[in-house]
C-alpha cells in the first residue's frame, strides 16, 4: 500500500476528526459523547478508506485483464493469419495442379 495514494484520504480523515471534535466542544457536550462521536466518524472514515483501497485493487485487476486479453487477441490474430496463409497456399497449389492437368 503506497502512502502517497492515500495521503488525501488521511488528510481528510484528520480534518473530519478535528471538525467533529470542534463541533462537539462548541455544543458543550461531555467527554463521553465527544469520544462516541469521534469513534463513529473515525469508523466511517476507515470504512471509506477500505472501500477506496478495494476500488484501487479492482482497477488494477481490470487493467491487468485488459492487457491479458489484448495479448491473447494478438496471438489469436497471428495464428489465424498463419492458418489463412497456409490455406491460401494449399488452394493455390491445387489450382496450379488442376490448371496444368487441363492444359495437357
Amino acid at each position: 500500500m503506497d502512502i502517497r495514494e492515500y495521503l488525501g484520504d488521511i488528510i481528510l480523515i484528520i480534518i473530519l476528526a478535528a471538525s467533529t471534535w470542534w463541533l462537539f466542544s462548541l455544543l458543550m457536550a461531555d467527554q463521553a459523547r465527544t469520544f462516541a462521536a469521534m469513534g463513529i466518524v473515525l469508523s466511517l472514515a476507515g470504512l471509506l478508506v477500505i472501500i477506496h483501497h478495494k476500488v484501487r485493487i479492482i482497477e488494477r485487476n481490470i487493467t491487468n485483464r485488459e492487457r491479458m486479453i489484448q495479448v491473447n487477441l494478438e496471438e489469436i490474430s497471428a495464428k489465424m493469419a498463419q492458418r489463412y496463409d497456409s490455406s491460401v497456399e494449399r488452394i493455390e497449389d491445387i489450382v496450379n495442379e488442376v490448371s496444368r492437368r487441363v492444359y495437357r
Side-chain angles (χ1 to χ4, degrees), residues 88-103:
V88 167
E89 286 177 13
R90 268 195 348 209
I91 292 172
E92 286 177 352
D93 290 342
I94 292 171
V95 168
N96 287 336
E97 185 179 328
V98 168
S99 65
R100 275 189 240 137
R101 288 184 182 179
V102 168
Y103 287 121

Side-chain angles (χ1 to χ4, degrees), residues 5-6 51-61:
E5 290 180 4
Y6 300 99
I51 290 171
H52 180 241
H53 178 68
K54 290 190 183 220
V55 166
R56 292 277 183 150
I57 290 173
I58 290 170
E59 286 176 348
R60 287 184 190 128
N61 287 340

Side-chain angles (χ1 to χ4, degrees), residues 30-68:
D30 58 344
Q31 291 288 334
R33 289 184 183 161
T34 303
F35 283 124
M38 288 290 291
I40 292 170
V41 166
L42 290 176
S43 65
L44 178 63
L47 177 66
L48 293 175
V49 168
I50 289 171
I51 290 171
H52 180 241
H53 178 68
K54 290 190 183 220
V55 166
R56 292 277 183 150
I57 290 173
I58 290 170
E59 286 176 348
R60 287 184 190 128
N61 287 340
I62 288 173
T63 303
N64 289 338
R65 286 181 192 237
E66 285 176 352
R67 286 184 194 140
M68 286 174 32

